[in-house]
Amino acid sequence: MATLSLKDVRKTYGKTDVIHGVSIDIADGEFVVIVGPSGCGKSTLLRMVAGLEEITSGTIEIGGRVVNTLEPRARDIAMVFQNYALYPHMSVFDNMAYGLRIAGVRGDDLKARVAKAAEMLDLSTLLDRKPRQLSGGQRQRVAMGRALVRDPAAFLFDEPLSNLDAKLRVSMRLQIKDLQRRVATTSLYVTHDQVEAMTLADRLIVMNKGVAEQIATPMEIYDAPANMFVAGFIGSPAMNFLPATVTGSDLLISDGSRMPRPAGLQDGGVILGVRPEHLTRSRSAGPGTLTVRVLAVETLGADAFVHARLGESGSEDIVFRVPGHDRPAEGTVVSLAVDQDKVHIFDAATQRRISGM
Amino acid sequence: MAEGMVGTSKRSIALGHFLLILGCVIVAFPIWYVTVASTHSIQTILNPPLPMLPGAEAAQNYGEAFSGSITRIGGVSVERLLLNSTVMALGIAVGKIIISMASAFAIVFFRFPLRMACFWLIFITLMLPVEVRIMPTYKVMVDLGLIDTYAGLILPLIASATATLLFRQFFMTIPNELLEAARVDGAGPWRFFKDILLPLSATNIAALFVILFIYGWTQYLWPLLVTNSNSMNTIVIALRKMISFADADTPWNLVMVTSVLAILPPVLVVVLMQRWFVKGLVETEK
């Protein structure tokens, strides 16, 4: 167990920067998730921490020790790979024991440690099997066991649940969370799945194009996204963005609707951000409401997401959430009240957050 | 597997079996004929046609072969010839496997200057079989004093571009994450080779061993050149030396016995390793 600290870590391939200086201090036992779209550099960053990828500049410390040039084996980390990377010719026991054997653990001590990890992951009856005789979920657990048994300073997870089906992914997610709580090992976890990120993380790093756009707790990121990228990436369906102008006592939306002017804004163009769950149907039109024409309804059961177009002839698409039994018909025109306490205002030029909440 | 291609009607099954049996007969007939011939006396062999069924002289012919008749003809016992061939074939097979695995390991898993140059150098040696480079190779062997030694028989035939390419292709199918998992687990290059690569290559090695053993066993030109002393002859060379130009001087019954003995070890290798051999050729799952 240890702290993990990145200081202005950069990676350059030739002249292309892939990681633009990421800094974070991860506390002992903390679970940090790196989330972002594919190609944002999140896996590269994780592999740099693991020592599988060289770093161009900056420092990486594990447990207060700079590990920049150390081989993976000298970093005291364990990694869970997306395709599990189990040794196909070894039994489950040998897969889990391999790292320990290399470290010189022998005999009863070895057996006891593997047995303990197998117990925690419910693998005790599978120790003699070969990886090809296991289901996807079981292989995933063996990959976890291989990391767990080493009792490393930090766990590194590289999209470990991506190869599982949706149902298994949910249960494994809970299992990983529970396991991490019990062993209290500092963890860095990469995923492109925002639900996974929100549910697992103590803190999130939202990455885009090699830049850490925001580092904060999941709720901080949900409540106060630092910019339009983060606002659009976290939350499902994504936040609605409406171009607007601050003028007089109003916030004038592109279709002509008016909202109360939020405090502390100068006149000029802004982007209004509203999450689908903060729009509610309203009986009356008027200031503080939007009028939309319903295009399509996605029914999920408890909820339904309504895709609509702003205004009579507007071009802005809007998504809002309604209860599953109270859906508007396609083609109808409805009024939506905007929860004024929960709107986000972004600078139209820099896309950065100005105010809100 | 064959269903879609030939159908499963009785006629097509019968036709398939007929073709297979025909093929087996064509391939097996010469071997049967040699075996039959090795059980007849020299008079029977020299009086055509040769019977198609084994004769009564088997014990006598084989007994003679092992009790010194062959030694009188060529100056070397048949046991010695078999030993020479075995040492050479084993040496070539094992040597080729070691060298080619090592070079494929280096080419696939290490980044070093001129890596691709090395690869292409190995690759173009495919164009230089023993026959092409025989004079310079012979000169080198003479200078090294390796004429009439096992090393001289084995070394020039060990380098193998084909086997290196095979191992390279196989190593490239090994997922990169497996290598990375091993690195995180603390395995250095040697451990990775020994604990992961070698066991995963087992079936490939077995298949290659069979092919290379037979390649080594059937070598003719090089052993002929590099051995002067009869005691270093391989069985294939000795067989040739037993045949005299005057038909009547050739002890055909013993030649046939020697032929059978020369065929036996490769056959044994194939039969004993058949399961592994087939697995190595068809296995795709890793």
Side-chain angles (χ1 to χ4, degrees):
Chain A
M1 270 163 272
T3 57
L4 180 65
S5 150
L6 311 187
K7 289 198 187 87
D8 200 29
V9 171
R10 287 169 192 276
K11 174 82 183 176
T12 312
Y13 288 119
K15 285 184 176 169
T16 326
D17 290 345
V18 277
I19 305 287
H20 300 257
V22 174
S23 301
I24 182 175
D25 284 308
I26 301 174
D28 186 12
E30 195 177 8
F31 199 127
V32 171
V33 175
I34 310 175
V35 66
S38 56
C40 71
K42 55 190 189 300
S43 281
T44 309
L45 186 61
L46 187 82
R47 293 164 53 81
M48 286 160 81
V49 175
L52 296 171
E53 204 77 65
E54 283 178 20
I55 72 172
T56 309
S57 70
T59 50
I60 296 177
E61 286 179 20
I62 298 173
R65 185 172 59 123
V66 176
V67 297
N68 282 14
T69 56
L70 293 185
E71 274 287 297
R73 68 186 120 149
R75 295 189 181 202
D76 195 17
I77 44 114
M79 189 154 170
V80 180
F81 294 87
Q82 179 173 357
N83 69 6
Y84 321 133
L86 301 178
Y87 310 122
H89 58 294
M90 294 187 194
S91 67
V92 169
F93 181 91
D94 288 334
N95 262 286
M96 288 169 71
Y98 188 59
L100 289 178
R101 283 198 174 118
I102 292 176
V105 181
R106 292 281 183 277
D108 290 343
D109 190 17
L110 179 80
K111 277 185 200 150
R113 287 175 70 172
V114 174
K116 190 174 157 223
E119 179 96 17
M120 288 178 91
L121 288 158
D122 200 13
L123 289 169
S124 303
T125 55
L126 303 174
L127 287 175
D128 294 330
R129 301 256 188 105
K130 292 279 173 65
R132 65 170 173 275
Q133 298 167 300
L134 301 177
S135 70
Q138 289 168 335
R139 286 180 204 189
Q140 215 286 328
R141 295 213 302 276
V142 177
M144 298 261 306
R146 194 167 59 176
L148 193 65
V149 76
R150 303 248 316 273
D151 192 20
F155 288 140
L156 306 176
F157 298 89
D158 191 3
E159 309 221 13
L161 304 182
S162 309
N163 287 3
L164 300 178
D165 63 56
K167 200 173 167 190
L168 207 51
R169 209 178 298 161
V170 174
S171 77
M172 281 309 297
R173 203 165 70 202
L174 290 168
Q175 215 173 342
I176 288 179
K177 179 90 172 172
D178 173 56
L179 207 62
Q180 199 269 344
R181 286 276 173 278
R182 277 195 284 163
V183 298
T185 301
T186 313
S187 302
L188 198 54
Y189 185 110
V190 162
T191 181
H192 62 269
D193 182 324
Q194 51 140 326
V195 179
E196 229 168 274
M198 293 290 282
T199 50
L200 284 171
D202 292 326
R203 268 196 301 163
L204 272 177
I205 304 178
V206 183
M207 281 192 73
N208 182 33
K209 294 179 184 156
V211 177
E213 299 276 6
Q214 190 170 10
I215 302 176
T217 66
M219 280 320 282
E220 278 167 8
I221 284 180
Y222 176 80
D223 288 338
N227 55 43
M228 284 174 64
F229 173 80
V230 177
F233 191 77
I234 299 294
S236 175
M239 184 185 283
N240 299 297
F241 293 116
L242 303 173
T245 315
V246 181
T247 171
S249 62
D250 295 322
L251 183 63
L252 187 65
I253 313 286
S254 57
D255 72 330
S257 338
R258 286 165 193 279
M259 301 282 149
R261 174 176 180 148
L265 290 188
Q266 298 182 334
D267 283 5
V270 295
I271 303 285
L272 174 69
V274 190
R275 293 199 183 276
E277 51 271 39
H278 299 146
L279 289 167
T280 43
R281 287 174 72 182
S282 142
R283 280 163 216 272
S284 57
T289 66
L290 298 170
T291 304
V292 299
R293 179 181 295 280
V294 176
L295 297 176
V297 181
E298 284 181 315
T299 309
L300 300 179
D303 296 319
F305 294 112
V306 183
H307 296 258
R309 183 147 296 165
L310 184 62
E312 292 299 318
S313 58
S315 58
E316 307 297 336
D317 282 341
I318 251 186
V319 179
F320 61 98
R321 193 169 78 173
V322 295
H325 288 290
D326 187 19
R327 307 187 300 275
E330 286 175 19
T332 54
V333 173
V334 294
S335 291
L336 299 173
V338 179
D339 189 341
Q340 295 299 330
D341 294 336
K342 293 188 173 153
V343 298
H344 308 264
I345 308 288
F346 300 96
D347 188 301
T350 66
Q351 305 206 329
R352 303 205 70 78
R353 172 184 194 79
I354 306 175
S355 78
M357 304 233 293
Chain B
M1 189 173 74
E3 274 112 340
M5 284 156 59
V6 286
T8 48
S9 72
K10 275 196 175 142
R11 254 187 73 187
S12 59
I13 289 175
L15 180 70
H17 276 90
F18 171 73
L19 288 174
L20 279 175
I21 291 165
L22 188 70
C24 287
V25 168
I26 291 173
V27 170
F29 180 72
I31 298 168
W32 170 251
Y33 213 43
V34 168
T35 316
V36 166
S38 73
T39 62
H40 286 284
S41 68
I42 188 156
Q43 287 77 17
T44 321
I45 298 173
L46 288 177
N47 267 330
L50 184 69
M52 294 294 290
L53 293 171
E57 316 281 320
Q60 204 199 327
N61 284 346
Y62 283 84
E64 258 185 57
F66 279 101
S67 64
S69 286
I70 291 179
T71 316
R72 275 195 297 284
I73 301 162
V76 209
S77 68
V78 71
E79 294 93 327
R80 173 76 196 202
L81 294 173
L82 283 169
L83 174 75
N84 289 348
S85 276
T86 308
V87 170
M88 181 188 180
L90 276 180
I92 290 174
V94 173
K96 264 182 190 279
I97 287 170
I98 291 173
I99 294 273
S100 53
M101 270 193 99
S103 26
F105 181 52
I107 285 170
V108 175
F109 293 104
F110 292 84
R111 301 279 166 273
F112 53 91
L114 297 182
R115 188 173 66 99
M116 282 321 279
C118 290
F119 172 69
W120 283 106
L121 271 177
I122 294 172
F123 191 73
I124 56 176
T125 59
L126 271 178
M127 288 182 267
L128 300 170
V130 180
E131 290 76 8
V132 177
R133 55 188 163 88
I134 203 153
M135 294 321 280
T137 310
Y138 186 76
K139 170 85 168 91
V140 170
M141 289 298 121
V142 171
D143 290 351
L144 290 175
L146 293 179
I147 302 299
D148 277 334
T149 62
Y150 287 128
L153 276 170
I154 294 165
L155 282 179
L157 299 176
I158 272 187
S160 170
T162 323
T164 307
L165 285 177
L166 277 171
F167 278 116
R168 173 179 176 268
Q169 292 312 111
F170 172 68
F171 289 171
M172 294 206 326
T173 66
I174 289 182
N176 205 27
E177 288 192 343
L178 210 58
L179 169 68
E180 291 177 344
R183 281 179 70 190
V184 172
D185 263 345
W190 169 239
R191 255 182 207 282
F192 174 69
F193 183 81
K194 179 171 71 81
D195 293 344
I196 315 281
L197 225 43
L198 206 56
L200 289 179
S201 310
T203 51
N204 290 47
I205 293 174
L208 211 55
F209 177 82
V210 173
I211 295 169
L212 295 178
F213 182 86
I214 292 167
Y215 165 84
W217 188 271
T218 55
Q219 281 300 309
Y220 181 74
L221 183 59
W222 183 250
L224 189 65
L225 216 66
V226 84
T227 59
N228 296 328
S229 146
N230 283 339
S231 66
M232 287 306 292
N233 279 343
T234 62
I235 197 159
V236 178
I237 304 293
L239 198 54
R240 165 67 191 80
K241 285 189 178 171
M242 285 170 79
I243 300 167
S244 131
F245 288 103
D247 216 13
D249 294 346
T250 306
W252 282 111
N253 54 338
L254 294 182
V255 171
M256 292 303 152
V257 169
T258 314
S259 296
V260 171
L261 292 175
I263 295 168
L264 218 50
V267 169
L268 276 179
V269 166
V270 172
V271 169
L272 292 178
M273 299 196 67
Q274 188 186 29
R275 211 167 59 87
W276 283 81
F277 180 70
V278 174
K279 222 173 152 190
L281 289 183
V282 302
E283 187 166 84
T284 50
E285 188 211 39
K286 273 173 299 301

